[in-house]
Short mmCIF file of all heavy atoms in Angstrom, two decimals:
data_model
loop_
_atom_site.label_atom_id
_atom_site.label_comp_id
_atom_site.label_asym_id
_atom_site.label_seq_id
_atom_site.Cartn_x
_atom_site.Cartn_y
_atom_site.Cartn_z
N GLU Z 186 -11.24 34.93 -56.80
CA GLU Z 186 -11.99 33.68 -56.89
C GLU Z 186 -13.32 33.85 -57.60
O GLU Z 186 -13.79 32.93 -58.29
CB GLU Z 186 -12.23 33.11 -55.48
CG GLU Z 186 -10.98 32.76 -54.72
CD GLU Z 186 -10.40 31.43 -55.17
OE1 GLU Z 186 -11.08 30.69 -55.89
OE2 GLU Z 186 -9.24 31.15 -54.81
N THR Z 187 -13.95 35.01 -57.43
CA THR Z 187 -15.31 35.19 -57.93
C THR Z 187 -15.41 36.01 -59.21
O THR Z 187 -16.45 36.02 -59.86
CB THR Z 187 -16.16 35.88 -56.86
OG1 THR Z 187 -15.54 37.14 -56.51
CG2 THR Z 187 -16.27 35.02 -55.61
N ALA Z 188 -14.34 36.71 -59.59
CA ALA Z 188 -14.40 37.69 -60.68
C ALA Z 188 -14.90 37.10 -62.00
O ALA Z 188 -15.80 37.68 -62.64
CB ALA Z 188 -13.02 38.32 -60.88
N GLN Z 189 -14.38 35.97 -62.42
CA GLN Z 189 -14.76 35.41 -63.72
C GLN Z 189 -16.23 35.03 -63.74
O GLN Z 189 -16.97 35.38 -64.69
CB GLN Z 189 -13.91 34.19 -64.04
CG GLN Z 189 -14.24 33.58 -65.41
CD GLN Z 189 -13.33 32.40 -65.76
OE1 GLN Z 189 -12.31 32.16 -65.10
NE2 GLN Z 189 -13.68 31.67 -66.79
N LEU Z 190 -16.69 34.34 -62.70
CA LEU Z 190 -18.10 33.93 -62.65
C LEU Z 190 -19.01 35.15 -62.54
O LEU Z 190 -20.07 35.20 -63.18
CB LEU Z 190 -18.32 32.99 -61.48
CG LEU Z 190 -19.72 32.38 -61.32
CD1 LEU Z 190 -20.12 31.62 -62.58
CD2 LEU Z 190 -19.77 31.46 -60.10
N ARG Z 191 -18.62 36.13 -61.75
CA ARG Z 191 -19.43 37.33 -61.61
C ARG Z 191 -19.54 38.07 -62.94
O ARG Z 191 -20.63 38.52 -63.33
CB ARG Z 191 -18.83 38.25 -60.54
CG ARG Z 191 -19.66 39.52 -60.31
CD ARG Z 191 -19.15 40.33 -59.15
NE ARG Z 191 -17.75 40.69 -59.30
CZ ARG Z 191 -16.77 40.19 -58.58
NH1 ARG Z 191 -17.02 39.28 -57.64
NH2 ARG Z 191 -15.52 40.58 -58.75
N ASP Z 192 -18.42 38.20 -63.65
CA ASP Z 192 -18.45 38.90 -64.95
C ASP Z 192 -19.36 38.18 -65.93
O ASP Z 192 -20.08 38.83 -66.72
CB ASP Z 192 -17.03 38.99 -65.52
CG ASP Z 192 -16.15 39.95 -64.74
OD1 ASP Z 192 -16.70 40.74 -63.95
OD2 ASP Z 192 -14.91 39.90 -64.91
N GLU Z 193 -19.36 36.85 -65.91
CA GLU Z 193 -20.23 36.08 -66.81
C GLU Z 193 -21.70 36.32 -66.47
O GLU Z 193 -22.53 36.53 -67.37
CB GLU Z 193 -19.90 34.59 -66.70
CG GLU Z 193 -18.54 34.21 -67.26
CD GLU Z 193 -18.21 32.75 -67.01
OE1 GLU Z 193 -19.06 32.05 -66.40
OE2 GLU Z 193 -17.11 32.30 -67.41
N GLU Z 194 -22.03 36.31 -65.18
CA GLU Z 194 -23.43 36.47 -64.78
C GLU Z 194 -23.92 37.91 -64.94
O GLU Z 194 -25.12 38.14 -65.13
CB GLU Z 194 -23.62 35.98 -63.35
CG GLU Z 194 -23.43 34.48 -63.20
CD GLU Z 194 -23.89 33.97 -61.84
OE1 GLU Z 194 -24.68 34.66 -61.16
OE2 GLU Z 194 -23.47 32.86 -61.46
N LEU Z 195 -23.02 38.87 -64.87
CA LEU Z 195 -23.43 40.27 -65.06
C LEU Z 195 -23.88 40.55 -66.50
O LEU Z 195 -24.55 41.55 -66.75
CB LEU Z 195 -22.27 41.20 -64.69
CG LEU Z 195 -22.07 41.46 -63.19
CD1 LEU Z 195 -20.79 42.24 -62.94
CD2 LEU Z 195 -23.27 42.20 -62.59
N LYS Z 196 -23.53 39.66 -67.40
CA LYS Z 196 -23.95 39.81 -68.80
C LYS Z 196 -25.38 39.30 -69.04
O LYS Z 196 -25.96 39.56 -70.08
CB LYS Z 196 -22.99 39.06 -69.72
CG LYS Z 196 -21.56 39.59 -69.68
CD LYS Z 196 -20.64 38.72 -70.52
CE LYS Z 196 -19.19 39.20 -70.42
NZ LYS Z 196 -18.26 38.32 -71.19
N LEU Z 197 -25.93 38.58 -68.08
CA LEU Z 197 -27.27 38.01 -68.23
C LEU Z 197 -28.33 39.11 -68.09
O LEU Z 197 -28.15 40.08 -67.36
CB LEU Z 197 -27.51 36.94 -67.18
CG LEU Z 197 -26.56 35.73 -67.21
CD1 LEU Z 197 -26.84 34.80 -66.03
CD2 LEU Z 197 -26.71 34.99 -68.53
N PRO Z 198 -29.46 38.96 -68.80
CA PRO Z 198 -30.53 39.98 -68.72
C PRO Z 198 -31.07 40.18 -67.31
O PRO Z 198 -31.51 41.28 -66.97
CB PRO Z 198 -31.61 39.41 -69.65
CG PRO Z 198 -30.88 38.48 -70.57
CD PRO Z 198 -29.77 37.90 -69.77
N SER Z 199 -31.05 39.14 -66.51
CA SER Z 199 -31.61 39.21 -65.15
C SER Z 199 -30.61 39.76 -64.12
O SER Z 199 -30.96 39.89 -62.95
CB SER Z 199 -32.06 37.83 -64.71
OG SER Z 199 -30.96 36.91 -64.73
N ALA Z 200 -29.40 40.07 -64.57
CA ALA Z 200 -28.35 40.48 -63.63
C ALA Z 200 -28.66 41.86 -63.02
O ALA Z 200 -29.25 42.72 -63.68
CB ALA Z 200 -27.01 40.54 -64.34
N PRO Z 201 -28.26 42.07 -61.76
CA PRO Z 201 -28.45 43.39 -61.16
C PRO Z 201 -27.47 44.39 -61.77
O PRO Z 201 -26.46 44.00 -62.38
CB PRO Z 201 -28.13 43.14 -59.69
CG PRO Z 201 -27.16 42.00 -59.71
CD PRO Z 201 -27.59 41.12 -60.84
N SER Z 202 -27.75 45.67 -61.58
CA SER Z 202 -26.80 46.69 -62.03
C SER Z 202 -25.58 46.66 -61.12
O SER Z 202 -25.62 46.13 -60.00
CB SER Z 202 -27.46 48.06 -61.98
OG SER Z 202 -27.72 48.44 -60.64
N SER Z 203 -24.50 47.24 -61.59
CA SER Z 203 -23.27 47.27 -60.79
C SER Z 203 -23.50 48.03 -59.48
O SER Z 203 -23.01 47.62 -58.42
CB SER Z 203 -22.15 47.94 -61.59
OG SER Z 203 -21.83 47.17 -62.73
N ASP Z 204 -24.25 49.12 -59.54
CA ASP Z 204 -24.52 49.91 -58.33
C ASP Z 204 -25.36 49.10 -57.34
O ASP Z 204 -25.10 49.13 -56.12
CB ASP Z 204 -25.24 51.20 -58.69
CG ASP Z 204 -24.33 52.21 -59.38
OD1 ASP Z 204 -23.09 52.03 -59.30
OD2 ASP Z 204 -24.86 53.16 -59.98
N ALA Z 205 -26.36 48.38 -57.85
CA ALA Z 205 -27.21 47.58 -56.97
C ALA Z 205 -26.42 46.45 -56.33
O ALA Z 205 -26.60 46.14 -55.15
CB ALA Z 205 -28.40 47.02 -57.76
N LEU Z 206 -25.52 45.86 -57.11
CA LEU Z 206 -24.71 44.76 -56.58
C LEU Z 206 -23.76 45.27 -55.50
O LEU Z 206 -23.58 44.62 -54.45
CB LEU Z 206 -23.92 44.10 -57.70
CG LEU Z 206 -23.04 42.91 -57.30
CD1 LEU Z 206 -23.88 41.82 -56.65
CD2 LEU Z 206 -22.30 42.37 -58.52
N LEU Z 207 -23.15 46.43 -55.72
CA LEU Z 207 -22.26 47.00 -54.72
C LEU Z 207 -23.01 47.33 -53.43
O LEU Z 207 -22.49 47.12 -52.32
CB LEU Z 207 -21.59 48.27 -55.27
CG LEU Z 207 -20.48 48.06 -56.29
CD1 LEU Z 207 -20.02 49.40 -56.87
CD2 LEU Z 207 -19.30 47.33 -55.66
#
Side-chain angles (χ1 to χ4, degrees):
E186 298 282 347
T187 57
Q189 181 177 349
L190 184 57
R191 181 173 57 250
D192 290 345
E193 292 174 0
E194 293 191 20
L195 281 172
K196 297 175 183 177
L197 299 175
S199 59
S202 67
S203 296
D204 288 344
L206 181 58
L207 286 174

